[in-house]
């Protein structure tokens, strides 16, 4: 009898473990606006540390743009932590980030927190967002 009780309690604890783990995960909804022209491909890249920023993506999603000037991406099951996001709009869908004169003015790039570089690219700290255990929505505007 005692054996069955202990076994039942152990099974109950093990069965509830995935629920406890899942409660710590969040969904991040990213709305990208300013897709002009409303064509090509838009890509959102998520970085999870200053060391990996702009070097080694943590998560990445892309979508074809077909006449819409905004698009919504959803990143599910994110752990609590700090992240920085970069959005690139490949307007002509040639799989290359086209740059203009002196490397500026080509295709659009945006960063979380509306971090904008004065020269070069912003730091992880400037683009950093906090993701907690609750679902979150952010907007990244492309210029």
């Amino acid at each position: 009898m005692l054996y069955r009780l202990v076994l039942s309690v152990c099974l109950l604890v093990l069965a509830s473990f995935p629920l406890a783990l899942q409660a710590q995960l969040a969904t991040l909804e990213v709305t990208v606006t300013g897709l002009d022209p409303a064509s090509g491909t838009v890509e959102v890249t998520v970085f999870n540390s200053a060391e990996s920023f702009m070097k080694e993506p943590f998560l990445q999603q892309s979508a074809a743009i077909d006449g819409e000037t905004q698009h919504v991406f959803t990143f599910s099951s994110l752990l609590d932590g700090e992240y920085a996001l970069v959005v690139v709009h490949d307007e002509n869908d040639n799989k290359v980030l086209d740059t203009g004169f002196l490397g500026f003015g080509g295709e659009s790039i945006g960063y979380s927190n509306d971090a904008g570089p004065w020269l070069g690219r912003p730091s992880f700290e400037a683009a950093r967002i906090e993701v907690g255990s609750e679902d979150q929505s952010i907007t990244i505007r492309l210029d």
Side-chain angles (χ1 to χ4, degrees):
M1 179 79 166
L2 182 61
Y3 173 76
R4 286 186 178 178
L5 180 62
V6 170
L7 182 61
S8 296
V9 169
C10 287
L11 288 175
L12 183 61
V13 169
L14 287 174
S16 66
F17 182 71
L19 295 176
L21 183 60
Q22 186 177 10
Q24 298 174 6
L25 303 179
T27 297
L28 176 63
E29 183 179 273
V30 180
T31 302
V32 178
T33 63
L35 295 167
D36 184 26
S39 61
T41 302
V42 65
E43 182 175 84
V44 177
T45 304
V46 179
F47 297 92
N48 63 349
S49 71
E51 296 76 31
S52 68
F53 186 58
M54 302 296 280
K55 297 175 191 160
E56 189 175 323
F58 175 64
L59 296 171
Q60 200 167 43
Q61 290 183 23
S62 62
I65 303 304
D66 190 21
E68 297 293 323
T69 59
Q70 73 176 27
H71 191 80
V72 178
F73 293 88
T74 302
F75 294 93
S76 300
S77 302
L78 289 176
L79 292 171
D80 294 2
E82 298 177 340
Y83 300 92
L85 286 75
V86 178
V87 176
V88 175
H89 182 197
D90 185 4
E91 298 170 8
N92 57 9
D93 207 17
N94 67 350
K95 312 293 187 255
V96 175
L97 177 61
D98 299 322
T99 58
F101 182 68
L102 298 177
F104 299 100
E107 294 175 319
S108 301
I109 301 175
Y111 301 90
S112 47
N113 276 343
D114 285 329
W118 186 68
L119 288 174
R121 61 179 180 226
S123 67
F124 178 84
E125 283 301 312
R128 180 181 56 86
I129 61 167
E130 293 277 339
V131 173
S133 58
E134 307 227 351
D135 293 347
Q136 187 173 340
S137 297
I138 64 169
T139 300
I140 299 176
R141 290 181 289 280
L142 299 177
D143 296 325

